[in-house]
Amino acid sequence: MALKTWKNMVKFPHLASLALLALLAVAIHLTRNKGNAAVRLENQVLLKEESGKNDSAPACNLFSGRWVYDNVSYPLYKERQCSFMEYDFACEISGRQDLKYQNWRWQPHLCDLPRFNGTALLEKIRGKKVVFVGDSLNRNQWRSMLCLIESYLPPSSKKSVKLTGNLYSFHSTEYNATIGFYWAPMLVESNCDDAVTHRVRPRIVRIKSIETHGRHWIDADILVFDSFTWWMDQTMTILWGSFESPDAIYKKVEMKLRRYEIALSTWSDWLEMHINRTKTKLFFTSLSPYPLGNTVWSTDDSCHNKTEPILDERYWASAANRSMMRIVESTIEKLSERGVKVEYLNITQLSGYREDAHPSIFRTFWGTLTNEEVKNNVDRYADCMHWCLPGVPDVWNQILYAYIMKS
């Protein structure tokens, strides 16, 4: 067939000319698009391997996938063997009997999630400082990171965390590397900024002030931000001026989206003015979804006794506020236009599938509450916001690890 076609082209030379012109056009098109190749799939742009060498994004969309049960490879560490474990996230120690939530692996559709290698990560951050900045969900992720790397640390390592002001930090002397968490639930300044005592009402926010916090992370090599949950109050007091000033103006406002937008604008302006763009790698973790309700965590108790993930990939968690997500995405896009690159870790949907992986009542509680009181009042005390460890935040860190290792 091919020989017959070639004979026809020789017989009719104009056909050969047309074929050569077509091949030349295809070659030019491929050459022009080689360095910018992308595939659009379900409204997601997936970068191919041809992406520029300096692009720190992994080669496929790590956020689109499904949960697969895997009790051979997971969990990546044992809860009781993690020296850095925080009892707020220690569900097994706190009495949870069903531990299947520890054995689910996130499987992206078009590739495999890189296996976490703590030695490789510690070498990558040797002599550097990594800081997670935000609320207790970011602290959840930070604790997960410490548990993930612990087994890769030399046996002689001091496995302790130091608290200085708002900054919790672990320092590995062997690698001269620091992995810290800075408590700033609103990112900007507020009356909820005490790292230990912050359950304050009403919430008062200095929506245009961030410097008090920012000076503590300005020297970091990698910054991982989050802020969402603490903005969900229907009303909030905005402070113009300082807490100490008698002339300060206090204004009670609703406008949830607008106040969030102003705060992120303050954050982005600070980054543009102060961050060393050639040194510091920036990340922002999207909202971690939870069901809204009337427990002490402002969630409902629907996660209690859940033992399986949601496997319907169309599912979207009720509190995953798309409008607030768009504000973050728009802020990051505008920063990029101003020359400041922030990687957006969109963990919202993958986390929303995991209603089985919240602590519910299997965590520590403050004050004089007894276990019996908690069990008899699940509708008040179930924590459907944070995550058991090992669990979902480990996957967030595996994705973060993929970005760091590629950068």
Side-chain angles (χ1 to χ4, degrees), residues 296-309:
V296 294
W297 314 101
S298 299
T299 73
D300 67 19
D301 62 352
S302 61
C303 69
H304 186 62
N305 288 334
K306 291 283 178 65
T307 59
E308 299 282 337

Side-chain angles (χ1 to χ4, degrees), residues 99-156:
L99 302 181
K100 192 176 178 182
Y101 67 89
Q102 299 181 358
N103 302 121
W104 291 89
R105 169 173 55 82
W106 179 246
Q107 179 60 57
H109 286 310
L110 299 179
C111 60
D112 292 325
L113 194 59
R115 181 78 176 179
F116 186 88
N117 183 325
T119 300
L121 178 64
L122 287 163
E123 284 293 348
K124 188 77 172 178
I125 64 170
R126 181 183 287 276
K128 296 181 180 178
K129 182 177 182 180
V130 181
V131 182
F132 293 81
V133 180
D135 57 25
S136 55
L137 286 161
N138 225 10
R139 192 177 79 238
N140 209 165
Q141 184 177 359
W142 169 67
R143 290 287 182 184
S144 157
M145 179 64 83
L146 295 183
C147 289
L148 283 166
I149 67 164
E150 180 173 7
S151 64
Y152 297 91
L153 293 168
S156 59

Side-chain angles (χ1 to χ4, degrees), residues 26 37 43 56-57 81 124 152 187 200 219 262 313 340 401:
V26 170
N43 299 319
S56 62
Q81 294 174 5
K124 188 77 172 178
Y152 297 91
L187 295 182
V200 182
D219 61 338
I262 294 171
E313 292 182 26
V340 180
Y401 165 82

Side-chain angles (χ1 to χ4, degrees), residues 218-243:
I218 196 168
D219 61 338
D221 299 277
I222 298 172
L223 283 167
V224 185
F225 295 97
D226 93 315
S227 185
F228 166 70
T229 302
W230 287 64
W231 291 98
M232 293 299 288
D233 284 11
Q234 288 301 315
T235 60
M236 195 171 287
T237 299
I238 304 301
L239 169 60
W240 304 97
S242 69
F243 284 102

Side-chain angles (χ1 to χ4, degrees), residues 76-95:
L76 298 177
Y77 56 87
K78 298 292 185 182
E79 177 190 305
R80 296 178 185 274
Q81 294 174 5
C82 177
S83 307
F84 300 105
M85 183 59 65
E86 185 174 327
Y87 285 121
D88 290 358
F89 316 130
C91 302
E92 181 181 356
I93 291 173
S94 299

Side-chain angles (χ1 to χ4, degrees), residues 67 106 287-291 306 308-312 315-320 346-358 387 392 396:
W67 289 96
W106 179 246
L287 66 91
S288 174
Y290 59 90
K306 291 283 178 65
E308 299 282 337
I310 294 167
L311 300 179
D312 181 357
Y315 175 77
W316 185 262
S318 61
N346 192 352
I347 53 84
T348 301
Q349 188 154 24
L350 74 87
S351 305
Y353 299 139
R354 295 301 309 278
E355 291 185 356
D356 61 305
H358 296 290
W387 302 95
V392 172
W396 304 349

